[in-house]
Amino acid sequence: NHPLIGETVKGIHRIHGTAQDRKAPLLTADLMAMKFPATPAGIRDRAILLLGFAGGFRRSELAALLVEDLAFTREGVVVTLRRSKTDQAGAGRQVAIPAGQAVEAVAAWIKIAVKGPLFRGIKHGVLGESLHADSIGQIVKRAVEAAGLNPDLYAGHSLRAGLCTQAFANGAGEIAIMRQTGHKSVTTLRRYVRDAALFRNNVGGMVGL
């Protein structure tokens, strides 16, 4: 809070900039272009990407899920998050995933996983322990590379960022997005949607050129 320190920090920002190295969001078209082999690992990876995207989940939230945390209904599936980054007290939160490809992918994987940790390692066709959050990031990178995208631009967080970006571009309001992702701050959410916001109601497209 000292004025001299504050001015020094401002000077550093002016010289070096403050732009963050943000990972690219995965959008619906990117996911639809991906092909997964009909192997246990391929079925698992497809379920991870589609569920992570549809729910706007963090890597840690996906890694912590149990099969028992998913309740299938006629409308889709309700995912219970027992604990998350913004819910350290473990109050829990439910996220609805409407019927569609994400629900179908998870249902196909549960036929293999059956019970216990939802997303698990696979070695020689045998299910192992629950995946670490970092492993989910590596799965995302492999999938985007196989789809012809640059894996250096993407990470596990690209799923959560992708839902925010795509939903906003498709007309969803900030409150609706926050209800799905569990964001507590509109300011934080806007860091994800600002790229989509560049072209939404852009006055440059309203002047007849």
Side-chain angles (χ1 to χ4, degrees), residues 141-199:
K141 285 181 174 293
R142 285 203 306 267
V144 299
E145 185 172 23
L149 302 173
N150 183 355
D152 293 337
L153 300 179
Y154 298 88
H157 206 64
S158 295
L159 299 172
R160 183 172 171 83
L163 174 75
C164 297
T165 304
Q166 187 73 73
F168 188 82
N170 289 1
E174 292 174 339
I175 299 301
I177 297 173
M178 292 173 68
R179 186 183 306 120
Q180 187 76 350
T181 63
H183 277 104
K184 302 298 184 183
S185 166
V186 174
T187 301
T188 302
L189 174 66
R190 287 174 180 170
R191 294 174 187 167
Y192 296 110
V193 304
R194 60 187 175 188
D195 291 341
L198 290 173
F199 290 97

Side-chain angles (χ1 to χ4, degrees), residues 11 20 29 37 57 59 70 80 112-113 118-119 167 172 177 179 201 209:
Q20 297 180 344
F57 296 128
R59 296 177 306 156
L70 276 63
T80 298
I112 298 173
L118 178 60
F119 296 121
I177 297 173
R179 186 183 306 120
N201 296 325
L209 293 180

Side-chain angles (χ1 to χ4, degrees), residues 52-77:
F53 178 82
F57 296 128
R58 300 177 177 89
R59 296 177 306 156
S60 58
E61 293 169 345
L62 287 170
L65 285 176
L66 303 176
V67 172
E68 293 77 14
D69 293 333
L70 276 63
F72 288 84
T73 72
R74 286 180 295 180
E75 292 82 10
V77 64

Side-chain angles (χ1 to χ4, degrees), residues 93-163:
R93 183 170 72 88
Q94 291 187 317
V95 180
I97 310 297
Q101 293 193 43
V103 174
E104 293 169 3
V106 174
W109 168 242
I110 284 181
K111 291 180 180 178
I112 298 173
V114 184
K115 63 180 180 179
L118 178 60
F119 296 121
R120 299 151 67 179
I122 302 174
K123 188 173 183 179
H124 304 306
V126 179
L127 296 183
E129 299 296 322
S130 175
L131 285 177
H132 189 275
D134 290 343
S135 297
I136 290 177
Q138 292 302 315
I139 289 171
V140 171
K141 285 181 174 293
R142 285 203 306 267
V144 299
E145 185 172 23
L149 302 173
N150 183 355
D152 293 337
L153 300 179
Y154 298 88
H157 206 64
S158 295
L159 299 172
R160 183 172 171 83
L163 174 75

